[in-house]
């Protein structure tokens, strides 16, 4: 029971596709391929999911952040079990989870504190995440790099315990750390027992930030036989398409 109260267990029983999409950032709707696998995540750690874009890391992040309903998966969060048709309530999608893009940051933080019945004040949250005081009355949609700290602050105010990054390319991750200095807040969240999820294809970045790396091994990304079948036909001069016109 003690282990269950301090871990998140993810079980994926069947392959399926999931379709994350961004309301704010520059990546459009794309496909993540989940595959049969299970993961055990401990409180107070950051996990790097190492794999190609679409290999499943972003999909797992999407599920744990509560952005998609479970289908052929089961998630146990600190002893609370979720199954088919349910969404994980303890999760939060960094940079994407904020519902009121046309509300001010101050109102969003206040609403989050009220919803979670927290004893903290808006100023407590502002101080903890070093939010810019002069921007608190600016609508959330006009935030740029600071949106990452703001989204973490709102998730924290809501009492969320699993903070998930969407699937970001290497350049975006570098810019995130460089401009928003977000890694400073990783340790704060970890100290309070939160779990952080970071999917990436860059091993070096994950080794620098994550406590543990989970290497994805999606069979769909390993079987290249259909690719070589076509390539070999082409090289042998035996590839023909109805629409092809010989020179």
């Amino acid at each position: 029971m003690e282990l269950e109260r301090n871990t998140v267990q993810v079980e994926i029983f069947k392959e399926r596709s999931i379709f994350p999409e961004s309301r704010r950032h520059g990546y459009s709707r794309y496909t993540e391929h989940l595959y049969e696998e299970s993961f055990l995540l401990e409180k107070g750690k950051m996990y790097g999911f190492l794999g190609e874009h679409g290999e499943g890391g972003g999909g797992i992040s999407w599920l744990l952040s509560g952005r998609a309903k479970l289908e052929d998966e089961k998630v146990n969060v600190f002893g609370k079990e979720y199954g088919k048709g349910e969404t994980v309530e303890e999760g939060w999608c960094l940079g994407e989870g904020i519902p009121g893009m046309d509300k001010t940051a101050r109102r969003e933080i206040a609403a989050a504190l009220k919803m979670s019945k927290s004893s903290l004040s808006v100023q407590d949250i502002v101080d903890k995440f070093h939010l810019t005081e002069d921007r608190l009355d600016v609508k959330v949609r006009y935030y740029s790099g600071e949106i990452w700290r703001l989204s973490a602050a709102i998730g924290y105010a809501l009492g969320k315990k699993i903070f998930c990054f969407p699937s970001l390319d290497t350049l975006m991750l570098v810019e995130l750390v460089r401009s928003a200095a977000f890694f400073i807040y990783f340790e704060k969240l970890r100290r309070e027992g939160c779990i952080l999820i970071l999917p990436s294809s860059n091993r070096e970045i994950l080794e620098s930030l994550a406590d543990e790396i989970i290497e994805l091994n999606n069979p769909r990304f390993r079987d290249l036989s259909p690719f070589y079948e076509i390539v070999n036909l082409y090289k042998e001069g035996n590839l023909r398409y109805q629409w092809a016109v010989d020179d």
Side-chain angles (χ1 to χ4, degrees):
M1 288 296 293
E2 185 64 28
L3 176 64
E4 191 176 68
R5 287 196 297 268
N6 288 285
T7 59
V8 171
Q9 184 171 8
V10 182
E11 295 179 276
I12 304 171
F13 300 111
K14 185 179 178 181
E15 291 184 16
R16 73 146 164 146
S17 297
I18 192 169
F19 305 98
E21 58 184 325
S22 172
R23 291 182 300 175
R24 177 182 174 86
H25 299 292
Y27 54 91
S28 58
R29 190 171 187 263
Y30 68 99
T31 305
E32 284 278 349
H33 301 280
L34 300 180
Y35 65 103
E36 295 178 46
E37 186 58 277
S38 62
F39 310 100
L40 188 67
L41 313 173
E42 296 179 24
K43 274 185 177 181
K45 288 187 176 183
M46 170 181 271
Y47 290 87
F49 281 81
L50 179 64
E52 294 184 42
H53 186 65
E55 194 171 353
I60 293 164
S61 184
W62 213 243
L63 285 177
L64 290 180
S65 65
R67 302 279 288 178
K69 290 182 179 180
L70 302 182
E71 290 187 9
D72 296 297
E73 303 88 30
K74 184 170 70 174
V75 177
N76 187 302
V77 181
F78 313 138
K80 181 178 180 180
E81 196 164 289
Y82 294 92
K84 188 176 181 67
E86 297 180 311
T87 54
V88 176
E89 295 177 354
E90 293 83 358
W92 185 253
C93 186
L94 291 164
E96 285 293 315
I98 304 172
M101 300 295 283
D102 285 317
K103 296 179 181 178
T104 66
R106 188 188 305 277
R107 287 185 63 187
E108 279 295 304
I109 296 170
L113 291 170
K114 183 178 180 180
M115 185 177 297
S116 65
K117 299 179 180 179
S118 173
S119 60
L120 297 174
S121 68
V122 171
Q123 193 60 49
D124 290 333
I125 299 297
V126 169
D127 293 341
K128 188 175 188 68
F129 288 88
H130 298 109
L131 299 176
T132 305
E133 299 264 4
D134 293 344
R135 304 204 71 195
L136 291 177
D137 294 308
V138 173
K139 289 182 178 180
V140 172
R141 70 168 57 255
Y142 297 119
Y143 272 68
S144 52
E146 196 175 355
I147 190 69
W148 296 98
R149 290 207 307 277
L150 176 61
S151 67
I154 293 172
Y156 181 86
L158 282 166
K160 301 297 185 181
K161 291 298 181 182
I162 310 172
F163 289 81
C164 305
F165 283 92
S167 183
L168 304 173
D169 60 42
T170 296
L171 181 59
M172 235 180 141
L173 279 172
V174 170
E175 283 300 306
L176 172 60
V177 171
R178 187 184 67 82
S179 62
F182 199 90
F183 64 92
I184 296 171
Y185 306 97
F186 293 166
E187 185 57 32
K188 290 186 177 185
L189 293 170
R190 279 190 289 220
R191 280 201 305 265
E192 300 201 20
C194 296
I195 294 174
L196 292 100
I197 305 296
L198 177 62
S200 175
S201 61
N202 191 303
R203 180 182 292 275
E204 189 174 350
I205 284 180
L206 294 183
E207 287 178 345
S208 299
L209 296 175
D211 297 296
E212 292 186 25
I213 294 177
I214 296 174
E215 296 196 27
L216 298 168
N217 190 27
N218 192 326
R220 294 187 65 175
F221 284 71
R222 301 295 176 269
D223 181 13
L224 297 179
S225 55
F227 168 80
Y228 284 116
E229 181 181 353
I230 299 299
V231 169
N232 289 335
L233 284 173
Y234 169 73
K235 289 182 176 180
E236 293 165 1
N238 295 321
L239 185 63
R240 293 289 184 269
Y241 289 106
Q242 286 186 332
W243 44 263
V245 178
D246 292 332
D247 292 333

